[in-house]
Amino acid sequence: MSYDLIFVPRGDDQSWDDALKAAAEADTAERPRAEAWARIVAAARQVLGEVSVFEGADNYELTHEPTGVQVSYYADEVGVTVPFWYRGDDARAVVTAVYQLGAAVGAVTGLSGYDPQVELPLSEAAARPELAGAVFDEVAASFARRGVVSPSNG
């Protein structure tokens, strides 16, 4: 279970639901742009520190082991995820980092970012990080009630 940011092509007159549906239905065989990937990796290292990188046949991925943040880059879609390991100030810190990384992903790829947990475009969600922090706290409380152990509540 993770907190996700989604980046897809989106027209000015297109709703987020329509953009996400179109992205899910798209059948793109193109490889993501290597120069854009290099810039995403550089941004991730600037925001997070050292990351491990994987290059697949049709995608790129990176992982920041200490935080669990991952980025997956396909030709017309990028996903940024972070596990629900955090709560309180730690959640707010990781949310800030993920939103900074998300801003770089959007700038580099030209794709529009969306935060489905708070149902806002990335730019609006980043201006209200307390909303994402509350989601992390809610999930941490749910984990604790069910006896689920994670690095933040174990």
Side-chain angles (χ1 to χ4, degrees):
M1 188 172 196
S2 62
Y3 195 97
D4 306 314
L5 302 179
I6 302 167
F7 298 81
V8 296
R10 179 175 173 254
D12 291 339
D13 61 342
Q14 190 176 31
S15 73
W16 276 105
D17 286 340
D18 289 344
L20 295 171
K21 183 178 178 183
E25 294 172 352
D27 186 23
T28 304
E30 296 176 35
R31 181 156 173 78
R33 298 184 340 251
E35 70 281 356
W37 178 243
R39 291 174 60 198
I40 290 170
V41 171
R45 287 183 171 141
Q46 184 174 16
V47 171
L48 301 169
E50 190 52 43
V51 295
S52 59
V53 177
F54 168 79
E55 296 186 13
D58 63 350
N59 71 306
Y60 297 111
E61 295 183 5
L62 68 78
T63 302
H64 181 248
E65 295 295 334
T67 60
V69 171
Q70 295 182 314
V71 177
S72 300
Y73 177 32
Y74 294 84
D76 287 330
E77 185 172 349
V78 178
V80 177
T81 65
V82 62
F84 279 113
W85 294 345
Y86 305 95
R87 64 179 172 214
D89 290 341
D90 291 337
R92 282 141 193 75
V94 80
V95 164
T96 298
V98 168
Y99 283 162
Q100 287 174 346
L101 180 56
V105 166
V108 165
T109 63
L111 299 172
S112 297
Y114 184 70
D115 182 332
Q117 288 78 203
V118 298
E119 299 180 338
L120 291 172
L122 180 61
S123 60
E124 292 178 34
R128 300 180 63 196
E130 70 279 1
L131 297 176
V135 172
F136 274 87
D137 290 345
E138 191 176 300
V139 171
S142 172
F143 283 171
R145 283 191 303 275
R146 294 180 293 150
V148 175
V149 177
S150 76
S152 69
N153 73 5

